[in-house]
């Protein structure tokens, strides 16, 4: 009987430790990112992203933008953003469905450093 | 003498092992158990963005779509390979349950309530958008099955509790196969009745208390294969049948009785059928306009309150008005003298096909659109394990079939479900009354038309998926 309770406790501990774990890296706080305008309507829209490294605009980086919905089942769109200078990057995304969308930004800096940031979700209405 | 059906799946080459090998179900459960463990692990520790997590993608895109297609093409395959039963079965080798399921709970009231609770939690906690909650849901299922079936004899979790099982069993009324006796006359001379009581060598009989010679259809059957393995005469098979045939049968069902006289079954079928419309309503734009209107009327922004209003309207007021109205008109026209609730009980099973059609149309949409969205998740999981599958595409993923085919398929499903519902309610009408049958059937036909119209309208609306942000 003691053995059975021991197994239960062990299983519970494993489960609780799983809840506490996270395999996903936290966002790099060094880079500051913001959208010039948050998209809100359906259809193809131009996204302009402003990236700053501290207070300095981040130029000469490769920026990849992934647009996906917050629910499962809709294929993502992944596009390479075009640099406009002064830390601004631009790309077009087709918001093909109403609902919550989220943008994931992958930045590869000139020195090879790679980082990812998930921007706050927004509604397409 | 009853004619022996032509097709028995267990006699087909490649499937005979299912009937002969005692551990066939165990072998089917293992892969799903491993998948469930992967989803729990990923759901709790992985990316908390639904399209990036296997828990949300597999459960809400693949599992639901595959479930409905499997139910309509084959049968209740998920219950057959149910992973929640695996720890429960292993635990029963150590712990023999001592208690009997309380008599007052031997019905579908609790299951119907839990199904409503599940639908409510799905909307309230945006389960489709939360890997963590999805994982917790899986864990809850494992825990509930283990706890209940370790304490109580038989299979009360499957029969009286599991909302998923009830959903599957109701849907399997339209499945083309059922577990059934091959030669009924052989059962007449059987003295041991192993199919229900089990055998001494630890092979259980039907734990859901379905006695094969008197079993009708798929209701309450989990396709667990226990009766097939227990029968010493090899007289039980997976037999082909006409889908929906059991909804016309008026025979008392072993372990169930007459569903036409059980209000608990009626409520379960009502929740299932109207829940199909409600679930789809929660995914389109008008629901948000309705929330805004409600907020303006009551000056309450609580999502729980707004959802409760929608649920009461969809699962209480609308069915009461439609079914109550149809039953009242039926009684007036036919001169039938039963109580309204008794009339509704008789007709309720007739609405199952349109409910099943709506669930299929809805889930098939997500399955077809999102089938390949598992690839980026799979690639990411493999990369974590050090396996490079970079050739696997992560973008530009097309639907499983051309998108233009989806809406016609959905309309076809609704029409088919409506026709089946019309046939079953007509058959019920002609069984109950000999007076003005066509006029007496008309109110039920109008309810079916209203439901089909609602379903088509819902499916024609652009999808609008919100959860985290609300409003």
């Amino acid at each position: 009987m003691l053995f059975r309770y021991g197994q239960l406790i062990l299983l519970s501990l494993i489960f609780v430790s799983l809840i506490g774990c996270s395999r996903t890296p936290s966002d790099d706080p060094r880079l500051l990112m913001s959208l010039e305008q948050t998209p809100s309507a359906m259809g193809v829209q131009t996204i302009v992203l402003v990236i700053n490294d501290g207070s300095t605009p981040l130029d000469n980086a490769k920026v990849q933008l992934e647009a996906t919905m917050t629910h499962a089942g809709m294929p993502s769109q992944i596009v390479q953003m075009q640099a406009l200078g002064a830390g601004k990057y631009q790309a077009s995304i087709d918001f093909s469905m109403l609902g919550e969308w989220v943008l994931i930004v992958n930045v590869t800096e000139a020195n090879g450093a790679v980082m990812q940031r998930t921007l706050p979700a927004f509604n397409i209405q | 003498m009853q004619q022996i059906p032509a097709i028995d799946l267990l006699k087909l080459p490649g499937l005979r092992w299912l009937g002969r090998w005692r551990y066939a179900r165990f072998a089917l459960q293992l892969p799903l158990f491993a998948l469930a463990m992967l989803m729990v692990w990923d759901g709790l520790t992985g990316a908390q963005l639904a399209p990036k997590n296997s828990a949300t993608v597999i459960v809400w895109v693949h599992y639901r779509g595959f479930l409905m297609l499997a139910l309509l093409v084959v049968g209740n395959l998920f219950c057959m390979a149910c992973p929640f039963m695996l720890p429960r079965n292993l635990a029963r080798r150590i712990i023999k349950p001592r208690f009997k399921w309380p008599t007052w709970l031997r019905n579908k009231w609790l299951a119907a309530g839990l199904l409503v609770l599940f639908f409510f939690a799905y909307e309230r906690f945006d389960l489709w958008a939360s890997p963590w909650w999805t994982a917790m849901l899986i864990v809850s299922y494992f825990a509930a099955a283990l706890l209940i079936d370790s304490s109580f004899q038989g299979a009360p979790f499957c029969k009286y509790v599991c909302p998923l099982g009830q959903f599957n069993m109701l849907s399997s009324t339209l499945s083309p196969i059922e577990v059934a006796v091959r030669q009924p006359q052989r059962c007449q001379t059987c003295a041991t009745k192993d199919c229900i009581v089990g055998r001494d060598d630890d092979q259980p009989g039907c734990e859901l208390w379905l006695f094969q010679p008197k079993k009708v259809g798929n209701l309450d059957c989990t396709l667990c294969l226990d009766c097939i393995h227990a029968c010493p005469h090899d007289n039980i098979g997976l037999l082909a049948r006409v889908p929906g045939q059991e909804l016309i049968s008026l025979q008392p069902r072993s372990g169930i009785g007459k569903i036409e006289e059980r209000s608990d079954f009626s409520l379960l079928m009502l929740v299932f059928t109207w829940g199909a419309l409600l679930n789809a309503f929660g995914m389109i734009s008008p629901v948000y306009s309705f929330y805004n209107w409600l907020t303006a009327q009551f000056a309450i922004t609580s999502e729980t309150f707004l959802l409760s209003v929608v649920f009461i309207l969809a699962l209480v007021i609308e069915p009461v008005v439609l079914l109550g109205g149809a039953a009242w008109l039926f009684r007036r026209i036919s001169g039938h003298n039963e109580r309204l609730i008794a009339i509704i009980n008789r007709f309720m099973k007739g609405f199952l096909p349109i409910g099943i059609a709506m669930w299929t149309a809805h889930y098939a949409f997500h399955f077809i659109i999102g089938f390949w969205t598992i690839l980026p998740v799979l690639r990411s999981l493999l990369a974590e394990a050090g396996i490079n599958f970079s050739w696997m595409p992560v973008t530009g993923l097309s639907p499983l079939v051309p998108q233009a085919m989806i809406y016609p398929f959905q309309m076809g499903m609704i029409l088919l479900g409506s026709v089946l519902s019309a046939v079953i309610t007509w058959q019920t009408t002609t069984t109950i009354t000999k007076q003005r049958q066509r006029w007496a059937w008309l109110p039920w036909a109008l309810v079916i038309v209203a439901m089909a119209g609602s379903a088509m309208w819902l499916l024609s609306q652009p999808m609008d998926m919100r959860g985290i942000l609300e409003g």
Side-chain angles (χ1 to χ4, degrees):
Chain A
M1 184 63 81
L2 199 63
F3 177 65
R4 264 184 248 156
Y5 280 118
Q7 281 178 319
L8 267 178
I9 291 166
L10 186 65
L11 276 173
S12 307
L13 282 174
I14 293 169
F15 179 66
V16 169
S17 62
L18 272 178
I19 296 176
C21 289
S22 175
R23 289 155 32 230
T24 47
S26 51
D27 282 343
D28 186 329
R30 188 170 51 87
L31 289 185
L32 304 171
M33 294 186 195
S34 60
L35 294 174
E36 270 200 348
Q37 193 173 8
T38 304
S40 59
M42 267 182 84
V44 179
Q45 292 198 42
T46 303
I47 307 288
V48 178
L49 180 72
V50 184
I51 308 178
N52 285 296
D53 182 353
S55 57
T56 315
L58 182 79
D59 287 318
N60 302 320
K62 281 184 183 170
V63 182
Q64 190 190 59
L65 186 68
E66 178 175 358
T68 186
M69 295 193 77
T70 57
H71 68 90
M74 284 298 290
S76 297
Q77 295 170 60
I78 301 176
V79 291
Q80 208 65 40
M81 298 194 88
Q82 185 191 352
L84 301 176
K88 290 185 179 180
Y89 296 84
Q90 176 183 287
S92 291
I93 293 290
D94 183 8
F95 294 99
S96 55
M97 188 180 280
L98 298 170
E100 281 170 16
W101 286 75
V102 71
L103 298 173
I104 303 164
V105 185
N106 283 293
V107 180
T108 308
E109 291 183 76
N111 61 8
V114 179
M115 55 206 65
Q116 188 179 79
R117 172 73 51 83
T118 303
L119 301 179
F122 52 89
N123 260 328
I124 292 293
Q125 306 190 35
Chain B
M1 185 180 288
Q2 191 174 330
Q3 193 182 354
I4 299 170
I7 301 172
D8 181 347
L9 254 60
L10 297 185
K11 294 205 165 168
L12 295 178
L15 288 176
R16 287 179 188 164
W17 64 280
L18 274 175
R20 289 180 183 166
W21 189 34
R22 189 171 164 172
Y23 298 102
R25 193 188 192 201
F26 179 72
L28 293 170
Q29 286 171 317
L30 269 181
L32 283 195
F33 181 77
L35 193 62
M37 290 299 101
L38 171 79
M39 289 190 289
V40 169
W41 169 71
D42 200 21
L44 294 179
T45 66
Q48 288 305 304
L49 187 59
K52 300 281 182 192
N53 196 292
S54 63
T56 30
V57 173
I58 293 174
V59 170
W60 305 118
V61 179
H62 296 83
Y63 159 72
R64 296 193 304 179
F66 181 76
L67 177 80
M68 290 314 296
L69 296 175
L71 279 160
L72 293 182
V73 176
V74 188
N76 193 354
L77 296 183
F78 180 79
C79 284
M80 181 190 245
C82 177
F84 307 127
M85 287 292 106
L86 193 61
R88 170 260 201 205
N89 291 346
L90 295 175
R92 278 200 169 183
R93 289 174 175 270
I94 307 164
I95 309 165
K96 295 292 174 199
R98 285 187 296 168
F99 306 107
K100 290 191 172 170
W101 189 249
T103 313
W104 60 276
L105 282 176
R106 292 183 191 179
N107 48 55
K108 300 290 185 185
W109 297 114
L110 177 64
L114 288 172
L115 196 56
V116 174
L117 193 66
F118 174 75
F119 291 154
F120 192 86
Y122 177 80
E123 303 290 348
R124 179 63 189 86
F125 299 109
D126 310 317
L127 295 182
W128 69 84
S130 170
W132 195 88
W133 275 113
T134 303
M136 289 306 288
L137 183 69
I138 298 170
V139 170
S140 308
Y141 260 99
F142 275 112
L146 190 62
L147 195 68
I148 290 170
D149 279 7
S150 296
S151 307
F152 298 97
Q153 295 164 8
F157 179 74
C158 301
K159 195 172 176 84
Y160 301 120
V161 180
C162 180
L164 199 52
Q166 310 306 320
F167 185 98
N168 296 349
M169 291 186 283
L170 290 175
S171 302
S172 68
T173 54
L174 290 191
S175 295
I177 63 154
E178 66 176 338
V179 172
V181 166
R182 287 175 177 146
Q183 292 178 311
Q185 62 272 32
R186 181 170 280 183
C187 296
Q188 288 167 11
T189 56
C190 176
T192 55
K193 302 185 185 349
D194 297 322
C195 66
I196 185 115
V197 297
R199 287 203 316 242
D200 290 339
D201 63 349
D202 223 21
Q203 170 61 57
C206 181
E207 294 189 312
L208 289 101
W209 305 307
L210 306 176
F211 181 43
Q212 278 303 317
K214 294 187 176 174
K215 175 176 172 282
V216 176
N218 279 331
L219 283 178
D220 275 11
C221 178
T222 59
L223 289 194
C224 69
L225 308 172
D226 279 343
C227 58
I228 292 171
H229 294 141
C231 177
H233 310 290
D234 191 23
N235 195 32
I236 305 171
L238 287 175
L239 307 187
R241 61 167 196 171
V242 177
Q245 191 180 19
E246 68 176 275
L247 295 174
I248 291 174
S249 169
L250 291 171
Q251 276 181 274
R253 296 161 190 251
S254 174
I256 295 172
K258 289 190 168 186
I259 57 167
E260 301 79 11
E261 294 173 7
R262 285 185 55 172
S263 297
D264 57 331
F265 250 104
S266 283
L267 181 68
L268 186 64
M269 291 189 276
L270 184 152
V271 170
F272 173 88
T273 305
W274 266 264
L277 299 175
L278 174 63
N279 191 255
F281 183 59
M283 301 180 60
I284 57 171
S285 292
V287 75
Y288 298 104
S289 307
F290 187 62
Y291 284 161
N292 291 338
W293 181 81
L294 278 177
T295 304
Q297 297 300 311
F298 297 100
I300 297 175
T301 53
S302 155
E303 193 188 355
T304 305
F305 169 78
L306 298 173
L307 258 180
S308 301
V309 172
V310 171
F311 267 65
I312 289 168
L313 282 173
L315 294 183
V316 181
I317 294 174
E318 189 191 326
V320 164
V321 169
L322 288 176
L323 295 173
W328 183 80
L329 284 169
F330 173 84
R331 199 168 63 175
R332 293 276 295 181
I333 296 166
S334 67
H336 193 70
N337 57 7
E338 277 188 306
R339 289 185 307 142
L340 289 183
I341 193 77
I343 295 172
I344 292 171
N345 285 346
R346 290 185 186 280
F347 278 91
M348 200 58 231
K349 63 182 182 181
F351 293 94
L352 270 183
I354 196 163
I356 295 168
M358 185 60 189
W359 283 116
T360 309
H362 181 178
Y363 286 174
F365 171 84
H366 294 296
F367 185 71
I368 292 168
I369 292 277
F371 184 81
W372 297 114
T373 58
I374 190 64
L375 293 183
V377 176
L378 197 58
R379 189 169 116 166
S380 168
L381 284 172
L382 289 168
E384 264 190 72
I387 304 166
N388 184 8
F389 266 45
S390 55
W391 53 266
M392 217 179 242
V394 293
T395 187
L397 304 167
S398 306
L400 205 53
V401 297
Q403 205 160 338
M405 288 170 67
I406 300 174
Y407 188 62
F409 165 77
Q410 289 178 310
M411 293 301 104
M413 284 306 303
I414 299 299
L415 283 175
L416 195 61
S418 307
V419 169
L420 277 173
S421 285
V423 169
I424 294 162
T425 49
W426 169 252
Q427 190 272 344
T428 308
T429 304
T430 55
T431 308
I432 297 177
T433 182
K434 303 295 170 206
Q435 307 288 321
R436 304 167 75 192
Q437 289 175 330
R438 283 181 192 167
W439 286 105
W441 172 69
L442 196 60
W444 304 106
L446 289 174
V447 176
I448 293 166
V449 169
M451 291 186 74
S454 304
M456 288 177 177
W457 175 76
L458 287 166
L459 294 169
S460 69
Q461 295 298 304
M463 217 175 95
D464 188 346
M465 289 299 293
R466 299 185 219 179
I468 299 164
L469 301 172
E470 299 172 16

